């Protein structure tokens, strides 16, 4: 079982086969797979707990509805891990509250119908054979909470959501890694050949020849410690939890209005609501992010168009019924993550650049372990960070990325 602790001078590890920087779900999944590969793995996390920064500020969802081959290649086996999580981590009965209520990408714009049909065709080519194209009549028959103005959607029942807290803790418990809390990476030590030689912290240096940068919005900061300028852009993303209301259909899928990039899903009698503002600027990584107190009202106003039941709820909401929060997506030039070794600094690997980190974390962590151990050739990894210089970028066009 993994050991999660705040180290003292007496129990601080001074050596490791590999050090993972960042204790969100991506980093913890990475440490899980590295330790399962037999490597002495240490993870350093600057905060007081695992998965307390970006991960819990997501809406904790997963989907197979991607149109980019590299993303689908990671999403499908990741969902399989979630569906067999207790068996994967070796803890019988372990529950991550997996919920298959689906993802519904819906529109009232007739000009998007062909795009939706094309997306389903691409899903088929990528091995997702259970996504559906739904027309107006099918939509209203299956999802009567929708407005009569809807014209089409894609839907996959097996998409859904889970408890990211339980998943993160399960990875840690099912591994043999050590997870050091309140332990900030302050520097990366390189040897005379500019290869990885250690990770510096306030308690001392962990000698290692392999570092995994899984620091989420702080991944660019960690990259600069190794002399690298990684192509990463953190962007604030807000959401709000709406306290339970009887009008909120609890059997609904995650429902996304493709015209307005606004979405909601049920949660414990209430709902999460969010809007991916395409004009939100790139920002510096931060642990504390400002909240726009008019944001929930903007989201509700946008939701009403395709989900009319929200109008009655919006009229009766009080301030204490609305619970906003914020995290950061991290974008790359093609809106797909950076996974794998960085040749300029031997021993330095990245697992970062996510706007979909929760849903891709299982297979992304395994891929890093395969790359570190040599099980996978870097050239077989389409998400390698050298892809831009190689000119093999596959431009992303999946819905709800947050950039247009």
């Amino acid at each position: 079982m993994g050991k999660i602790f705040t180290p003292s001078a007496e129990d601080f590890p001074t050596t490791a086969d590999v050090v993972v920087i960042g204790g969100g779900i991506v980093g913890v999944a990475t440490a899980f797979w590295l330790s399962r590969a037999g490597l002495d793995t240490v993870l350093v996390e600057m905060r007081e707990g695992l998965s307390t920064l970006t991960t819990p500020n997501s809406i904790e969802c997963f989907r197979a509805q991607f149109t980019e081959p590299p993303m689908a290649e990671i999403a499908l086996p990741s969902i399989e891990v979630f569906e067999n999580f207790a068996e994967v981590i070796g803890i019988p009965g372990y529950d991550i509250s997996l919920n298959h209520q689906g993802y519904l990408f819906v529109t009232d714009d007739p000009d998007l119908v062909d795009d939706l049909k094309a997306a389903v065709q691409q899903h088929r080519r990528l091995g997702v054979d259970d996504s559906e194209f739904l027309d107006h009549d099918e939509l209203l028959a299956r999802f009567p909470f929708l407005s009569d103005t809807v014209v089409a959607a894609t839907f996959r029942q097996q998409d859904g959501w889970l408890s990211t807290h339980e998943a993160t803790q399960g990875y840690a418990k099912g591994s043999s890694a050590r997870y050091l809390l309140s332990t900030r990476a302050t520097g990366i030590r390189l040897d005379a050949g500019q290869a990885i030689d250690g990770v510096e912290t306030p308690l001392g240096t962990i000698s290692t020849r392999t570092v995994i940068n899984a620091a989420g919005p702080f991944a660019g900061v960690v990259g600069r410690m190794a002399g690298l300028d990684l192509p990463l852009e953190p962007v604030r993303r807000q959401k709000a939890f709406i306290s339970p209301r009887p009008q909120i259909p609890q059997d609904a899928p995650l429902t996304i209005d493709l015209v307005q990039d606004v979405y909601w899903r049920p949660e414990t009698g209430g709902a999460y609501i969010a809007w991916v503002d395409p004009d939100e600027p790139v920002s510096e990584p931060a642990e504390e992010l400002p909240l726009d107190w008019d944001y929930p009202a903007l989201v509700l106003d946008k939701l009403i168009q395709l989900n009319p039941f929200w109008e009655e709820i919006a009229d009766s909401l009080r301030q204490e019924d609305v619970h906003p929060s914020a995290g950061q997506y991290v974008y790359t030039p093609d809106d797909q993550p950076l996974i794998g070794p960085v040749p300029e600094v031997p021993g330095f690997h990245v697992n970062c650049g996510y706007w979909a980190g929760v849903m891709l974390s299982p297979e992304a962590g395994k891929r890093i372990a395969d790359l570190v151990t040599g099980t996978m050739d870097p050239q077989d990894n389409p998400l390698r960070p050298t892809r831009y210089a190689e000119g093999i970028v596959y431009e992303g066009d999946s819905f709800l990325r947050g950039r247009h």
Side-chain angles (χ1 to χ4, degrees):
M1 179 177 287
K3 184 180 181 183
I4 307 170
F5 65 108
T6 301
S8 64
E10 289 72 32
D11 57 12
F12 179 78
T14 57
T15 63
D17 290 335
V18 56
V19 175
V20 179
I21 300 175
I25 193 169
V26 171
V28 176
T30 301
F32 169 85
W33 290 110
L34 288 163
S35 73
R36 282 295 179 92
L39 298 173
D40 177 22
T41 304
V42 171
L43 180 147
V44 295
E45 165 54 45
M46 64 184 179
R47 293 166 65 87
E48 295 179 354
L50 298 175
S51 190
T52 60
L53 185 60
T54 299
T55 303
N57 283 309
S58 72
I59 57 164
E60 304 183 292
C61 290
F62 61 88
R63 57 161 152 149
Q65 293 183 74
F66 285 98
T67 57
E68 304 90 344
M71 298 286 271
E73 191 177 86
I74 293 182
L76 288 170
S78 291
I79 293 172
E80 187 175 346
V81 168
F82 288 140
E83 291 174 339
N84 300 279
F85 197 76
E87 181 181 350
V88 170
I89 65 172
I91 303 177
Y94 193 88
D95 185 10
I96 59 170
S97 300
L98 197 70
N99 192 311
H100 288 297
Q101 283 184 220
Y103 257 68
L104 181 71
F105 293 98
V106 63
T107 187
D108 57 355
D109 181 359
D111 290 341
L112 287 177
V113 171
D114 287 345
D115 291 338
L116 290 166
K117 289 179 178 177
V120 172
Q121 291 170 355
Q122 178 69 347
H123 298 159
R124 298 285 187 276
R125 287 190 286 270
L126 297 178
V128 181
D129 58 8
D130 56 351
S131 68
E132 305 173 71
F133 172 82
L134 305 179
D135 62 19
H136 170 271
D137 291 344
E138 290 174 299
L139 277 168
L140 292 182
R142 292 168 68 170
F143 308 108
F145 60 83
L146 291 171
S147 165
D148 187 57
T149 61
V150 297
V151 294
T154 70
F155 177 66
R156 181 175 183 267
Q157 183 69 64
Q158 290 304 104
D159 294 340
W161 51 89
L162 70 155
S163 166
T164 56
H165 173 79
E166 294 303 331
T168 303
Q169 295 297 317
Y171 274 131
K173 293 173 182 177
S175 77
S176 59
R178 288 169 287 176
Y179 300 85
L180 312 187
L181 305 180
S182 302
T183 305
R184 184 182 296 268
T186 56
I188 292 177
R189 193 171 68 190
L190 306 178
D191 65 14
Q194 297 302 296
I196 292 295
D197 194 45
V199 174
E200 298 168 350
T201 79
L203 276 177
T205 298
I206 307 171
S207 295
T208 187
R209 303 298 282 181
T210 305
V211 165
I212 315 298
N213 178 3
F218 287 88
V221 174
V222 172
R224 288 191 289 273
M225 292 178 186
L228 298 167
D229 184 16
L230 299 173
L232 301 171
E233 295 184 338
V235 175
R236 180 185 62 159
R237 294 299 178 205
Q238 301 181 75
K239 76 172 192 292
F241 176 69
I242 304 300
S243 294
R245 285 290 188 280
Q247 301 96 327
I248 300 173
Q250 291 298 298
D251 59 350
L254 174 69
T255 302
I256 303 105
D257 178 340
L258 287 173
V259 173
Q260 302 194 72
D261 272 344
V262 66
Y263 54 97
W264 70 277
R265 75 161 175 87
E267 174 68 20
T268 58
Y272 285 126
I273 65 171
W275 169 46
V276 179
D277 180 356
D279 297 321
E280 181 75 30
V282 175
S283 54
E284 291 299 313
E287 292 186 68
E288 299 295 332
L289 295 164
L291 298 173
D292 295 334
W293 289 97
D294 59 347
Y295 174 85
L298 287 171
V299 178
L300 286 166
D301 185 60
K302 291 174 178 293
L303 282 172
I304 288 168
Q305 183 167 330
L306 296 192
N307 306 267
F309 69 87
W310 279 109
E311 185 166 13
E312 181 183 352
I313 296 171
D315 290 343
S316 66
L317 281 179
R318 300 164 297 177
Q319 185 172 343
E320 57 266 32
D321 299 322
V322 182
H323 310 275
S325 61
Q328 287 177 305
Y329 283 4
V330 183
Y331 292 103
T332 65
D334 58 358
D335 298 339
Q336 296 172 78
L338 305 179
I339 301 175
V342 180
E344 299 95 306
V345 182
F348 188 82
H349 294 66
V350 288
N351 192 4
C352 57
Y354 286 97
W355 57 268
V358 167
M359 64 182 77
L360 302 180
S361 59
E363 182 65 14
K366 185 176 185 299
R367 181 169 294 186
I368 284 287
D370 289 344
L371 289 162
V372 168
T373 60
T375 305
M376 183 179 201
D377 187 311
Q379 292 303 306
D380 293 332
N381 167 32
L383 294 173
R384 57 189 180 274
T386 57
R387 65 185 184 266
Y388 305 115
E390 296 173 33
I392 58 167
V393 177
Y394 184 100
E395 290 296 337
D397 61 0
S398 279
F399 300 127
L400 202 69
R401 302 192 321 279
R403 300 218 294 194
H404 302 281

